[in-house]
């Protein structure tokens, strides 16, 4: 036990020398402990200061760092001009175009805004592909060193919606992944489906009303809820044209019977329907105030509607101000619009034509040789890069009979064969390029002589019709599906 204060006092009184020695020892120990603490504290401060100076030097000497990155993996496959946004931890210097590399290769441009580096893709990217973007030599003001920024991302995979008509009359709209197997997943089933079109998150479905006309419905993609859309009594939907963006749908309408047009609807009349707005049908009129009639129509990327009229005139209008109809040209046949919306594929009495919609200039589409044989051009789908995927007729050198072949033609004198039927017994139907021109979907009837029609009053097809999905670059057959009417999607 420690001595009490009274004992300590008595000890000092009895042995004063011993007490002074003890006090002196305690002071020495306290001073020694204080010196040890001071030295340890000084050492710690020195180490921390040294580390701080090292990190400060490293921060000054090292280049900028990549903090985060943003890219829309779906839009980069659908539209050119999409961006990868690279965020640095500090403002950076300007970047040269040759400092950017992309694997697999893709054309880009680059710009800098403070701490943001914007890499813009000049072309649409391939589906389901991992891309690596590298920016070398990224520097910052007052920094001697540079850094390399690298970001990897995988683009969205492709899928296709298509229609499979069943013998029992209950038809199915399915979604199939391009890299998958089987029929795909059923999106919607209903009796007598004539047409369908996805608009935002809604599927618009036209089906038989039992009297030769059409019932038009919207199907919510999430809940499956079905709502009926109003059409004039006795009207038939000949075409559904979906926009590339937005909720305004274009319809080509005709009377279901040969009697007078119902509700003022003339044969092949064109109308607009905003399913995201008031859902009121708006018939369109031409420059003479008469109903605007259409053989077909296509929405352009900027939202305008390109219309091939019944009198074989090609016109353009803004759905927001449809009273202004601008003539574009006159063609007996119009196949469609290029994937980038810049040109229209058409034909006149002299052959195929590619019409530049911005300048009005025409380019003649003269078919190249197919396996050394002369070809006669048919329906052509134009890619953004100038390649055309075209159905051509080629004569058999032995029998003289003509066969329909699907080719990829760059105008260089020799076309690549993409598809033909076995022993040329079948036929090729509608052709549809994917939004990024990577794939083409074509309807195939394997054997024309053995084909049996499905007996539908609207958009009849052979019961044997199939859908072939082909890689345009390689010519590889990717998938076959039992159905028709493809619509490209991502997912």
């Amino acid at each position: 036990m420690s001595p009490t204060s009274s004992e300590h006092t008595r000890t000092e009184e009895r042995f004063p020398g011993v007490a002074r020695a003890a006090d002196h020892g305690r002071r020495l120990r306290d001073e020694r402990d204080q010196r040890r603490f001071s030295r340890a504290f000084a050492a710690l401060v020195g180490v921390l200061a040294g580390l701080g100076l090292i990190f400060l030097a490293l921060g000054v000497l090292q280049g900028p760092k990549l903090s985060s990155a943003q890219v829309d993996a779906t839009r980069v496959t659908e539209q050119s001009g999409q961006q990868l946004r690279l965020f640095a931890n500090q403002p950076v210097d300007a970047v040269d175009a040759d400092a950017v590399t992309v694997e697999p290769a893709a054309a880009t441009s680059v710009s800098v805004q403070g701490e943001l580096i914007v890499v813009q893709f000049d072309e649409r990217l391939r589906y389901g592909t991992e891309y690596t973007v590298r920016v070398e030599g990224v520097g910052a003001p007052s920094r001697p060193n540079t850094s390399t920024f690298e970001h990897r991302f995988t683009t969205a995979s492709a899928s296709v919606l298509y229609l499979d008509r069943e013998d029992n009359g209950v038809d199915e709209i399915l979604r199939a992944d391009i890299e998958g197997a089987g029929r795909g997943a059923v999106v919607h089933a209903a009796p007598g489906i004539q047409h369908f079109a996805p608009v935002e998150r809604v599927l618009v479905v036209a089906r038989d009303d039992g009297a030769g006309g059409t019932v038009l419905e919207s199907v919510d993609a999430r809940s499956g809820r079905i709502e009926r859309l109003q059409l004039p009594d006795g009207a038939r939907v000949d075409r559904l044209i979906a926009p590339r963006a937005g909720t305004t749908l274009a319809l080509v309408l005709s009377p279901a019977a040969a009697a007078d047009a119902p509700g003022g609807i003339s044969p092949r009349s064109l109308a607009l329907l905003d399913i995201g707005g008031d859902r009121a049908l708006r018939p369109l009129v031409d420059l003479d105030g008469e109903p605007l009639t259409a053989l077909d129509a296509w929405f352009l990327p900027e939202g305008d509607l390109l219309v091939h009229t019944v009198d074989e005139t090609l016109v353009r209008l803004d759905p927001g101000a449809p009273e202004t109809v601008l003539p574009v040209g006159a063609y007996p046949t119009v196949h469609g619009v290029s994937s980038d919306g810049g040109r229209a594929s058409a034909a006149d009495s002299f052959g195929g034509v590619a019409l530049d919609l911005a300048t009005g200039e025409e380019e003649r589409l003269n078919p190249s040789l197919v396996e050394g044989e002369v070809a006669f051009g048919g329906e052509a789908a134009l890619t953004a890069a100038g390649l055309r995927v075209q159905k051509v007729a080629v004569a058999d050198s032995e029998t003289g009979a003509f066969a329909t072949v699907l080719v990829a033609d760059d105008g260089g004198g020799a076309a690549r064969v993409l598809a033909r039927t076995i022993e040329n017994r079948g036929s090729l139907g509608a052709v549809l390029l994917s939004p990024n021109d990577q794939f083409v979907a074509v309807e195939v009837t394997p054997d024309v002589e053995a084909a049996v029609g499905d007996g539908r009053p609207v958009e009849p097809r052979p019961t044997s019709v199939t859908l072939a999905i082909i890689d345009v670059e390689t010519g590889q057959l990717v998938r076959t599906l039992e159905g028709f009417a493809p619509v490209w999607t991502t997912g």
Side-chain angles (χ1 to χ4, degrees):
M1 298 178 59
S2 301
T4 63
S5 59
S6 59
E7 292 174 343
H8 182 71
T9 301
R10 287 195 298 270
T11 299
E12 288 180 345
E13 293 174 352
R14 296 173 59 186
F15 307 102
V18 173
R20 285 194 298 273
D23 288 341
H24 181 68
R26 282 195 300 272
R27 286 196 300 271
L28 290 176
R29 287 194 298 272
D30 291 343
E31 290 174 358
R32 186 169 57 251
D33 291 342
Q34 182 67 31
R35 287 194 299 272
R36 288 176 179 173
F37 174 78
S38 298
R39 287 196 298 270
F41 181 77
L44 177 62
V45 170
V47 170
L48 292 177
L51 290 174
L53 291 174
I54 291 173
F55 285 123
L56 178 61
L58 289 176
V60 171
L61 295 176
Q62 288 184 345
K65 300 297 182 183
L66 177 61
S67 298
S68 62
Q70 295 178 351
V71 63
D72 191 320
T74 297
R75 286 187 178 272
V76 291
T77 66
E78 297 175 340
Q79 301 174 6
S80 61
Q82 295 302 300
Q83 297 176 347
L84 166 64
R85 300 165 69 84
L86 302 172
F87 293 89
N89 62 345
Q90 57 190 289
V92 297
D93 296 328
V95 175
D96 294 332
D98 56 7
V100 181
T101 58
V102 182
E103 298 177 0
T108 62
S109 58
V110 63
S111 62
V112 174
Q113 304 169 12
E115 72 278 3
L116 173 63
I117 299 175
V118 178
V119 178
Q120 181 168 298
F121 300 102
D122 300 334
E123 57 191 33
R124 288 157 294 180
L125 304 186
R126 293 176 66 87
Y127 292 112
T129 302
E130 183 183 76
Y131 282 85
T132 300
V133 179
R134 188 177 295 105
V135 184
E136 298 180 347
V138 179
S142 303
R143 297 295 175 97
N145 293 336
T146 61
S147 302
T148 296
F149 285 10
E150 182 176 291
H151 181 69
R152 289 183 174 89
F153 66 94
T154 300
T155 56
S157 58
S159 60
V160 65
L161 292 171
Y162 70 100
L163 177 60
D164 185 12
R165 286 177 173 165
E166 300 295 332
D167 294 337
N168 60 8
V170 178
D171 305 327
E172 294 177 334
I173 301 170
L174 300 100
R175 181 193 300 274
D177 294 334
I178 297 303
E179 299 177 354
R183 300 177 66 229
V186 176
V187 177
H188 181 65
I193 296 178
Q194 301 169 347
H195 316 274
F196 71 92
V199 181
E200 297 293 343
R201 296 188 179 274
V202 171
L203 191 65
V204 179
V205 179
R207 59 185 185 85
D208 299 336
D209 67 356
T214 298
V215 173
L216 193 65
E217 297 170 331
S218 67
V219 182
D220 188 279
R222 294 176 177 175
S223 66
R225 180 183 177 184
I226 300 175
E227 295 185 25
R228 184 162 180 171
L229 304 172
Q230 290 299 316
L231 289 177
D233 293 338
R236 182 187 70 234
V237 174
D238 294 323
R239 293 278 289 131
L240 277 179
I241 302 101
R244 301 195 181 194
T247 59
T248 298
L249 187 75
L251 303 89
V252 179
L253 304 173
S254 293
D260 293 338
I265 298 296
S266 301
R268 307 293 305 186
S269 62
L270 188 65
L272 298 176
L273 179 64
D274 186 0
I275 63 172
D278 58 8
R279 298 192 172 189
L281 192 70
R282 292 188 294 156
L284 300 181
V285 297
D286 60 19
L287 295 173
D288 298 328
E290 297 295 323
L292 183 61
T293 56
L295 296 171
D296 211 339
W298 304 266
F299 278 100
L300 302 178
E302 62 270 27
D304 282 2
L305 190 63
L306 190 68
V307 182
H308 187 214
T309 68
V310 169
D311 62 5
E312 301 180 351
T313 300
L314 196 61
V315 301
R316 183 171 181 166
L317 60 89
D318 179 359
E323 62 278 0
T324 303
V325 179
L326 302 175
V328 175
Y331 301 96
T333 303
V334 178
H335 302 302
V337 177
S338 62
S339 54
D340 62 352
R343 296 175 299 158
S345 171
D348 56 20
S349 57
F350 300 101
V353 174
L355 172 68
D356 189 306
L357 296 175
T359 65
E361 296 181 356
E362 293 182 348
E363 176 190 357
R364 284 289 159 188
L365 302 179
N366 298 314
S368 298
L369 296 178
V370 177
E371 297 176 340
E373 300 293 335
V374 175
F376 301 89
E379 178 185 356
L382 307 178
T383 70
L387 184 74
R388 63 180 181 269
V389 177
Q390 188 172 21
K391 289 190 299 183
V392 297
V394 181
D396 188 300
S397 58
E398 295 182 0
T399 65
F402 280 90
T404 301
V405 182
L406 185 68
V407 300
D409 190 350
D410 62 3
R416 291 187 292 111
V417 174
L418 297 178
R420 68 194 314 162
T421 62
I422 298 175
E423 298 180 354
N424 298 322
R425 293 179 302 186
S427 65
L428 304 180
V431 174
L432 183 66
L433 283 168
S434 63
N436 66 350
D437 299 329
Q438 183 177 352
F439 300 109
V440 61
V442 57
E443 296 177 12
V444 180
T445 301
D447 191 332
V448 174
E449 291 186 1
V452 177
D454 59 16
R456 299 299 178 88
V458 178
E459 290 292 308
R461 289 292 196 283
T463 56
S464 58
V465 66
T466 60
L467 195 61
I469 310 296
I470 302 164
D471 188 299
V472 174
E473 182 178 347
T474 65
Q476 178 185 0
L477 177 64
V478 179
R479 287 208 69 174
T480 57
L481 301 163
E482 295 184 358
F484 63 98
V487 176
W488 289 99
T489 63
T490 52

